[in-house]
Amino acid sequence: MQTVTPSSKYEAVIGLEIHAQLATHSKLFCGDATDFGAAPNTQISPITMGHPGTLPKTNEKAVEYAITMGLACGCAIEKNNYFARKNYFYPDLPKGYQISQHTTPICVGGTVNIKTPAGVKSIQLNRIHLEEDAGKSIHDISDTATMIDLNRAGTPLIELVTEPCLHSAEEAFLFVTEIRKLVRWLGVCDGNMEEGSLRCDANISIRLQGEKKLGTRVEIKNLNSIRNIKKAIQYEIERLIEITETGGTIIQQTRSFDANNDTTFSIRDKEDANDYRYFPDPDLAPFHLTNESIEALRLKLPALPNELQIEWTKSFKLSDYDVEQLSENKEETAFFIQLTKLSTHYKSIANWILGPIRSYLNESSNSYEKLSLALPYIAALIEMVENNQLNFSVASNKILKEIIEQPQSPLTYAEQHNLLQSNSADEIEQWVNEVLAKHPDKVTEYKKGKKGLIGLFVGEVKKISQGKADPKLSTQLLEKKLAE
Ligand code: ADP
Ligand code: MG
């Protein structure tokens, strides 16, 4: 009989609100820079401050980025948009209102797929809307005062809201990971959680398994790392179950995550609906999008990781692991695609990228941009290994770095440095004889039946030939000699 533990009695229900700072150079309604890390309060024109008499003007690039994200998620794009003022008092919001969208989010619906151990799951989006960010209150510089840096005020954000359709901390983790990958892929946000470019609020409730009605939710604000999102949600699910199991009542609350001890604490009890007195911003004209402008952006969408994965599995016969890895990073993907145009050894290209090329980039802190000049030579190097002209370890350890740092033909380099693999039977025979002469006792053991020793002999031949002996030929020759 299956035991019913409290956690199997309940189903967790999670809805996420993710804020992503758009990668525009200037703010949503004026030309102030959006650079991260600038000296405090140096990117704040009167428009950012909302001084009377100033007029905001919408940044078209930000609108474009929001639509691009929406199209990639299969959302419907709203054609008739307006910006609304969301009124509230907050020290880092000098205008007294945030410009956001209210009844016309620019993107509606849509889905994002995540790969869970139980299979692919489609996460439903409710909407994606555009809004401006607030400034930052800094509490840890002074013991007696809160410092305010308004540089961030007015930075364009998209807020992506899911339906309450996630059911575990793990799913939430996978979803945010997927969103970060997607915004980076599309180039609409740098996805940098440490710098606050991507932040997440998690709404969590529990209900009895099989129950349809949603339970009372709590909201954890401003989670700023993917690991914390997972920890905070896990902690909160357990806390809500504990309250319910001990006869308590869950109250709607806004909470915060304490990364020092992996717990959450209440910031405020939430009244049912905040009244923000939304109204259309009278300084900003409603903006209308045409079908043509939306379709033009759809045409500019890059192939998405999921689409590439399906294509590569089919036409290159690569494993799930390989396709997953090779569609992680856009520059790497582009490099892989270029190599597949120069060589048809797809699996080897994948191995080269995931192995020696990644190691080289890590060690040298170079980027794929640096590698682009060497592209044809890297393709030639891979071909040479496939054609048994070079041994893989010589090619990856001794030649790859050289032809990247000084783009040149791997064949010329290998010839100059005497690194070509030998398939001359005479030359290999000499190495074979040398090895057999050096290990008479192992030869005797082999002849008595310890056939596994062949690996040792092949390794020795490789060693004394400095990787130049073609291992297939040396194996054949060794077996022949040892059978004599
Ligand atoms: P608000 O305007 O107060 O932020 P929304 O209705 O826009 O509330 O919902 C915000 C997020 O909370 C959405 O992701 C939604 O899916 C999620 N959510 C709403 N109700 C619940 C609930 N009972 N349990 C879990 N998540 C919920
Ligand atoms: Mg909310």
Side-chain angles (χ1 to χ4, degrees):
M1 200 184 81
Q2 216 179 346
T3 49
V4 180
T5 60
S7 52
S8 67
K9 223 167 102 184
Y10 296 96
E11 176 182 54
V13 179
I14 302 151
L16 299 177
E17 297 163 271
I18 299 179
H19 287 95
Q21 273 181 7
L22 296 176
T24 55
H25 297 299
S26 55
K27 293 190 180 174
L28 186 51
F29 299 111
C30 69
D32 291 350
T34 53
D35 302 339
F36 179 82
N41 300 310
T42 53
Q43 297 170 168
I44 49 165
S45 65
I47 299 182
T48 288
M49 307 296 288
H51 286 184
T54 56
L55 274 182
K57 194 166 165 272
T58 306
N59 182 335
E60 271 181 42
K61 198 78 197 168
V63 175
E64 233 179 85
Y65 282 169
I67 298 172
T68 299
M69 183 66 181
L71 291 173
C73 300
C75 306
I77 307 299
E78 172 64 57
K79 289 205 209 89
N80 298 310
N81 293 268
Y82 72 92
F83 283 106
R85 290 187 181 177
K86 182 180 181 182
N87 298 282
Y88 62 103
F89 173 80
Y90 209 68
D92 50 24
L93 187 74
K95 295 203 291 269
Y97 58 85
Q98 177 195 28
I99 305 179
S100 182
Q101 291 190 295
H102 188 215
T103 55
T104 60
I106 190 157
C107 313
V108 180
T111 53
V112 170
N113 288 347
I114 56 172
K115 288 200 188 88
T116 74
V120 174
K121 196 171 164 188
S122 279
I123 306 305
Q124 306 295 321
L125 307 186
N126 174 285
R127 65 178 186 273
I128 303 174
H129 68 255
L130 266 167
E131 62 184 30
E132 58 176 351
D133 209 343
K136 240 190 260 181
S137 296
I138 304 163
H139 307 287
D140 54 5
I141 293 181
S142 157
D143 286 339
T144 52
T146 290
M147 303 291 175
I148 297 185
D149 176 7
L150 293 169
N151 281 350
R152 199 177 68 179
T155 298
L157 297 175
I158 45 173
E159 178 175 341
L160 179 150
V161 183
T162 74
E163 293 297 344
C165 64
L166 293 147
H167 296 292
S168 67
E170 178 66 21
E171 283 185 7
F173 168 86
L174 292 171
F175 179 76
V176 181
T177 306
E178 196 58 36
I179 292 295
R180 184 174 58 175
K181 181 170 162 183
L182 188 57
V183 293
R184 285 181 170 161
W185 191 269
L186 298 169
V188 300
C189 166
D190 66 24
N192 196 334
M193 297 192 85
E194 301 80 65
E195 294 181 359
S197 305
L198 201 67
R199 315 189 286 270
C200 176
D201 302 337
N203 296 269
I204 304 153
S205 62
I206 56 163
R207 62 186 171 194
L208 284 171
Q209 293 284 358
E211 171 69 60
K212 289 275 177 295
K213 222 173 110 237
L214 291 171
T216 303
R217 67 172 148 145
V218 293
E219 177 171 4
I220 312 174
K221 282 280 185 199
N222 273 325
L223 293 162
N224 60 0
S225 87
I226 293 195
R227 271 182 51 223
N228 287 352
I229 292 171
K230 193 169 170 179
K231 284 186 190 162
I233 294 176
Q234 192 54 45
Y235 175 84
E236 199 54 32
I237 293 172
E238 283 162 23
R239 196 185 68 87
L240 295 179
I241 291 176
E242 169 81 22
I243 294 176
T244 311
E245 282 288 297
T246 52
T249 309
I250 294 165
I251 43 171
Q252 194 175 339
Q253 268 181 341
T254 303
R255 300 178 69 87
S256 188
F257 180 63
D258 182 350
N260 293 320
N261 54 19
D262 292 350
T263 57
T264 66
F265 59 92
S266 170
I267 323 178
R268 55 181 178 268
D269 289 355
K270 196 167 178 174
E271 57 279 25
D272 230 9
N274 291 319
D275 188 353
Y276 293 113
R277 306 262 162 152
Y278 280 100
F279 66 89
D281 192 307
D283 289 339
L284 286 158
F287 64 100
H288 304 284
L289 303 168
T290 59
N291 278 331
E292 292 72 39
S293 63
I294 296 169
E295 289 316 305
L297 288 171
R298 197 191 301 278
L299 279 177
K300 281 204 327 213
L301 273 185
L304 298 176
N306 291 345
E307 298 164 3
L308 289 172
Q309 288 176 7
I310 294 169
E311 187 190 316
W312 294 342
T313 310
K314 216 171 92 196
S315 40
F316 297 161
K317 308 269 180 295
L318 296 180
S319 68
D320 287 352
Y321 175 81
D322 287 347
V323 297
E324 191 85 38
Q325 288 289 318
L326 291 165
S327 58
E328 273 293 313
N329 162 319
K330 213 172 165 191
E331 284 73 43
E332 188 169 80
T333 303
F335 196 76
F336 171 70
I337 292 175
Q338 283 172 310
L339 278 177
T340 61
K341 296 193 173 133
L342 299 174
S343 163
T344 54
H345 297 289
Y346 306 121
K347 174 64 186 159
S348 303
I349 297 173
N351 292 346
W352 269 87
I353 290 187
L354 302 183
I357 293 179
R358 275 195 185 176
S359 309
Y360 169 78
L361 292 176
N362 276 338
E363 282 158 23
S364 64
S365 54
N366 273 324
S367 65
Y368 274 100
E369 203 187 330
K370 161 99 183 166
L371 259 60
S372 64
L373 281 178
L375 183 84
Y377 302 125
I378 295 175
L381 185 66
I382 297 173
E383 286 286 318
M384 285 179 73
V385 174
E386 292 303 312
N387 300 334
N388 292 323
Q389 286 170 280
L390 280 175
N391 159 291
F392 173 77
S393 72
V394 170
S396 55
N397 295 325
K398 296 194 178 155
I399 306 182
L400 178 66
K401 182 170 182 283
E402 304 300 330
I403 63 168
I404 291 173
E405 296 188 350
Q406 213 170 50
Q408 57 186 306
S409 147
L411 178 61
T412 316
Y413 185 88
E415 278 169 354
Q416 281 166 356
H417 294 82
N418 194 22
L419 295 171
L420 284 178
Q421 185 157 277
S422 173
N423 41 26
S424 129
D426 287 350
E427 203 174 357
I428 294 179
E429 189 169 4
Q430 277 178 28
W431 290 318
V432 164
N433 288 339
E434 209 176 305
V435 166
L436 295 181
K438 223 169 103 188
H439 298 286
D441 38 346
K442 296 276 185 254
V443 172
T444 318
E445 281 178 50
Y446 179 93
K447 289 188 170 164
K448 280 191 188 147
K450 217 170 158 194
K451 299 288 185 237
L453 283 170
I454 192 74
L456 177 129
F457 294 127
V458 176
E460 285 293 300
V461 171
K462 183 176 160 192
K463 215 191 302 170
I464 63 166
S465 71
Q466 295 184 315
K468 283 161 51 187
D470 176 350
K472 230 197 254 148
L473 283 181
S474 30
T475 311
Q476 278 167 9
L477 257 175
L478 278 162
E479 280 171 348
K480 193 169 140 226
K481 295 246 162 198
L482 286 162
E484 280 167 4

